[in-house]
Amino acid sequence: MFARPNRRKFLRGSAAAGAVAAFGFPAIVRAQQNILVVAGPVQMEPMLRENCFSEFEKQFNCKVMMDAGDSLANVRKLQNRKDNPVVSAIIMDRPAVIQADRLGLIEDLKADNVPNLSQLFPSMIQKDGKWAAYKCAASSITYNPQVTPAGASSWNVLWSEEARDKVIIPMSSSTSLYLFLAVVGNLATGKPVSEAIREVDAIFQKVGQLRPNILMYFGPNAGQVFQLLETGGALYGASLTSTFVNARILEGSPLAVATPSEGVPALLGDVAKVKNCPAPELADAFINEMLGAKWQKIIMEHTRDAASNKTVELLEGMTPAGDLIQIDWDFVVDNREMMMARFDREMAG
Amino acid sequence: MRLALLLLPSVLWLAFVFALPIGNLLRSAFILSDGSIGLDNFVTILRDEYYRASIWNTLSFSFLVSILCVAIAYPFVLAVIRMPAVVQTTFLILTLLPLTSSIIVKSFGMTIMFGSTGIVNQALMAIGVIDAPLRLLFTMTALYVGAVNLFLPFVVLPIFAVARMISPDIYSAAETLGGGPFYRFFHITVPLTAPGVIAGASIAFSISASAYVVPTLLTGDRFPVISRQIFNEYMITYNEPIGAAISVILLVATLFILGLTSYFAHSKLGARD
């Protein structure tokens, strides 16, 4: 027989349940917080969610929500919610974070709240710690050794007679274009890749000479590029970032990444805290994990992008992030409209 | 009152998803940074040879795609409506089948088909038309084939809908009165199917003019079109006034051409609604 409930038993039971909940199971009593992270690379979301975020969610009793997608589009969304932000942290490529910074959308990281900042290569920390890079993607020439056994020892192979109608380069709306143009500037003027993006006239003169060799332009269609390179429809894919190429290689693709003598520029993947964001402590904790050795090792193993944390042991053959060439992204952000317009006109001309 | 209530949901829907965005677009295009109203954004665009080329490319591409779609769809429909119902259904399903796969998947298929080792080059080489593979990928040929392939069902359906409504008795009557095949075609089939042709061609023109993915995937930066300029101005360079002005130009040009086509079809071809 069940005991018949009465008012006194009900009150006693409620008090006991409250005490257990408050002291025995604090995670249940505390309201679960959400942290919204806006992130660029859609392809990385499942990997991050499975290997990194799940543990973070348990540890901090929160839910990490990710809004992956085009970085510049996401900056616009942040701008539209500037007075009432819903996003706590952003994971984006360098030019998008510079843009967010100029629009006053991010705030300084504090070394006390993000202790892993001290473990990064100095060149990975921006503006005295306003934001930082968590990875460095190399942007080189991708080719198929079965089709092109000689590989690509120099970026000049893209202009060779054998490469006629067989070269794939980034389209004007792609951030990778500027990594490519920096290399073109180096070839045209001899200036270091890190400075050559400023040589605008020389760059577009040299790019114009590449037109007969261009098969297609890549943007959101990386799969199409890989298929062409794998089947011999194209010989060289210029400035594809290692994040995508290595993921393809790990799936069994025969593609390889060249190491041209002029050097390989890098696209930095940055993490930053949104100004006046919700759950600021969680944002700091999240950014700290992104900059920590544990998550960076996981990310590096999946993308083969160099870790920004100097304590992470690199995989064989990888160049440390601190040694990869950084281009002048501030110049790119200042002149993107002009450079896009010139590139479009040069290619359509 | 009842009629007004019945119309209310659609009017509200159109107000929110059509009128409001169009109003916002016009505001961005015509209101200048100092708050005054002017045509400066349009002058900037029309003075630039590259933008003019984009506008011309978009309109000529859309026009040609519409013509090609009608040229393929029209005889196809006229042949199919004379067939038994089962065959008609089968052909219609085959026409609609490509719509079930995404544009991206289809563009991948085109890449394989038009590649140097693809079926088109292999077939041409096998029958001795060419000795070495032709460059077909990322050319205007690929763009037109891709666009027609994608937009053809949108032209077939409206023509089919009107063509199947033509009673065979009309043809019998015309024949009895001495009307030959050409007379019957130009005085019965053409006027009665013209509304379907106009509808189909208008749909093909509109979706070609606003197409972003197809030209981007099939030709990239080689063939500048307005839709990509709009994307770039809004999403990459944050130049909303110019993006809005280009959108207005596209809208006005499309409406003008559609209006002109409709007028021509009604006044010259004798289309009957």
Side-chain angles (χ1 to χ4, degrees):
Chain A
M1 290 290 285
F2 294 105
R4 195 175 169 182
N6 57 34
R7 182 172 162 271
R8 186 170 296 170
K9 281 179 184 171
F10 175 79
L11 286 174
R12 202 186 300 148
S14 300
V20 168
F23 302 108
F25 305 100
I28 297 169
V29 173
R30 280 202 309 263
Q32 190 188 50
Q33 276 191 298
N34 288 332
I35 173 171
L36 178 59
V37 180
V38 162
V42 178
Q43 293 87 342
M44 280 177 61
E45 183 174 352
M47 180 272 290
L48 287 172
R49 186 160 292 290
E50 185 181 339
N51 298 290
C52 304
F53 297 169
S54 54
E55 198 179 311
F56 182 83
E57 286 172 346
K58 278 184 205 151
Q59 188 184 346
F60 291 94
N61 182 39
C62 67
K63 179 77 187 160
V64 178
M65 295 182 295
M66 227 177 143
D67 184 8
D70 181 76
S71 291
L72 290 171
N74 279 332
V75 171
R76 269 188 88 86
K77 283 193 227 167
L78 289 177
Q79 192 185 3
N80 291 339
R81 299 286 310 226
K82 188 178 179 181
D83 297 330
N84 186 22
V86 292
V87 173
S88 297
I90 54 175
I91 305 171
M92 291 178 179
D93 53 40
R94 172 60 50 90
V97 179
I98 292 175
Q99 192 79 46
D101 178 40
R102 290 185 180 184
L103 293 167
L105 302 173
I106 60 175
E107 66 179 50
D108 289 8
L109 299 177
K110 305 249 178 347
D112 290 345
N113 301 333
V114 187
N116 283 332
L117 273 172
S118 63
Q119 294 185 354
L120 305 185
F121 288 105
S123 59
M124 298 292 110
I125 300 169
Q126 286 304 302
K127 288 197 172 178
D128 298 325
K130 187 154 195 181
W131 79 88
Y134 71 98
K135 74 178 177 74
C136 231
S139 171
S140 186
I141 301 171
T142 305
Y143 68 101
N144 183 347
Q146 292 164 7
V147 180
T148 320
S153 57
S154 163
W155 287 90
N156 276 314
V157 293
L158 305 180
W159 278 260
S160 65
E161 187 59 35
E162 306 82 70
R164 194 173 179 88
D165 279 342
K166 296 281 188 184
V167 173
I168 300 172
I169 67 168
M171 64 171 53
S172 62
S173 56
S174 166
T175 300
S176 296
L177 176 68
Y178 303 95
L179 296 160
F180 178 64
L181 294 181
V183 171
V184 176
N186 164 266
L187 296 178
T189 65
K191 291 198 171 177
V193 175
S194 56
E195 300 167 16
I197 192 73
R198 293 170 175 272
E199 303 300 320
V200 177
D201 290 332
I203 285 172
F204 286 107
Q205 198 180 358
K206 181 85 178 167
V207 160
Q209 294 162 8
L210 188 63
R211 274 177 60 194
N213 286 11
I214 297 171
L215 173 68
M216 70 169 283
Y217 306 83
F218 74 84
N221 51 341
Q224 203 179 11
V225 175
F226 294 140
Q227 190 266 334
L228 281 166
L229 291 167
E230 286 160 2
T231 57
L235 293 185
Y236 304 111
S239 300
L240 287 156
T241 50
S242 51
T243 314
F244 305 113
V245 181
N246 289 321
R248 185 80 169 191
I249 292 171
L250 289 172
E251 286 169 6
S253 166
L255 298 180
V257 178
T259 314
S261 56
E262 296 86 358
V264 175
L267 180 60
L268 296 159
D270 288 340
V271 58
K273 185 178 179 183
V274 174
K275 200 177 218 173
N276 303 321
C277 66
E281 297 84 9
L282 271 181
D284 285 330
F286 178 84
I287 292 167
N288 193 48
E289 291 298 329
M290 283 297 292
L291 301 178
K294 189 177 175 187
W295 284 21
Q296 289 206 9
K297 186 169 184 295
I298 294 168
I299 294 168
M300 185 184 69
E301 284 169 355
H302 281 83
T303 62
R304 297 294 195 272
D305 291 340
S308 66
N309 188 314
K310 56 193 173 194
T311 68
V312 177
E313 195 178 328
L314 296 180
L315 302 172
E316 196 184 333
M318 285 182 74
T319 308
D323 295 345
L324 284 168
I325 301 170
Q326 290 190 39
I327 72 165
D328 188 345
W329 286 111
D330 281 296
F331 179 84
V332 171
V333 173
D334 287 338
N335 296 282
R336 190 167 191 155
E337 190 171 356
M338 175 272 291
M339 294 184 84
M340 244 179 95
R342 282 195 68 169
F343 181 81
D344 282 339
R345 282 154 182 76
E346 193 62 56
M347 292 300 114
Chain B
M1 185 63 191
R2 280 182 185 169
L3 273 178
L5 278 175
L6 285 172
L7 283 173
L8 192 64
S10 57
V11 170
L12 284 176
W13 173 257
L14 283 175
F16 278 107
V17 304
F18 187 73
L20 267 178
I22 292 286
N24 193 35
L25 190 74
L26 294 173
R27 183 186 56 77
S28 300
F30 287 100
I31 296 180
L32 308 175
S33 53
D34 61 1
S36 63
I37 295 173
L39 294 171
D40 294 23
N41 297 322
F42 295 91
V43 172
T44 305
I45 292 164
L46 295 173
R47 272 189 183 158
D48 189 321
E49 195 186 338
Y50 179 72
Y51 285 128
R52 286 203 307 273
S54 299
I55 295 167
W56 170 250
N57 284 347
T58 305
L59 298 180
S60 56
F61 161 71
S62 310
F63 186 73
L64 198 52
V65 167
S66 311
I67 297 284
L68 288 170
C69 285
V70 170
I72 296 168
Y74 200 69
F76 169 77
V77 170
L78 293 187
V80 166
I81 55 166
R82 284 169 174 77
M83 293 176 179
V86 178
V87 183
Q88 281 187 27
T89 311
T90 310
F91 271 111
L92 270 185
I93 290 171
L94 287 174
T95 310
L96 296 177
L97 215 53
L99 294 177
T100 56
S101 62
S102 82
I103 289 175
I104 292 171
V105 171
K106 277 182 276 198
S107 72
F108 270 108
M110 299 265 172
T111 310
I112 296 166
M113 199 171 83
F114 287 126
S116 50
T117 55
I119 190 167
V120 177
N121 268 313
Q122 281 188 342
L124 290 173
M125 283 163 71
I127 58 173
V129 177
I130 52 171
D131 297 325
L134 284 177
R135 160 79 190 272
L136 295 169
L137 266 180
F138 310 108
T139 61
M140 295 309 290
T141 310
L143 178 61
Y144 281 110
V145 172
V148 170
N149 173 47
L150 285 166
F151 305 146
L152 190 62
F154 297 104
V155 183
V156 167
L157 286 180
I159 299 177
F160 184 80
V162 294
R164 70 196 296 265
M165 301 295 284
I166 304 172
S167 166
D169 295 343
I170 300 174
Y171 291 105
S172 304
E175 202 174 352
T176 309
L177 294 169
F182 282 103
Y183 185 90
R184 295 200 300 273
F185 177 73
F186 285 110
H187 289 84
I188 298 172
T189 310
V190 170
L192 292 179
T193 52
V197 173
I198 297 164
S202 304
I203 295 170
F205 187 90
S206 306
I207 51 182
S208 303
S210 57
Y212 173 79
V213 174
V214 175
T216 301
L217 290 184
L218 296 183
T219 56
D221 289 339
R222 203 185 298 273
F223 185 69
V225 288
I226 296 182
S227 56
R228 212 164 49 248
Q229 303 307 325
I230 296 169
F231 174 84
N232 287 347
E233 298 296 346
Y234 269 100
M235 306 307 295
I236 310 289
T237 58
Y238 294 175
N239 198 343
E240 190 176 321
I242 292 290
I246 304 174
S247 306
V248 170
I249 290 173
L250 176 64
L251 188 66
V252 171
T254 307
L255 288 175
F256 177 73
I257 288 170
L258 294 181
L260 203 67
T261 313
S262 182
Y263 169 77
F264 175 76
H266 281 87
S267 63
K268 304 290 179 193
L269 295 179
R272 293 176 180 89
D273 292 323

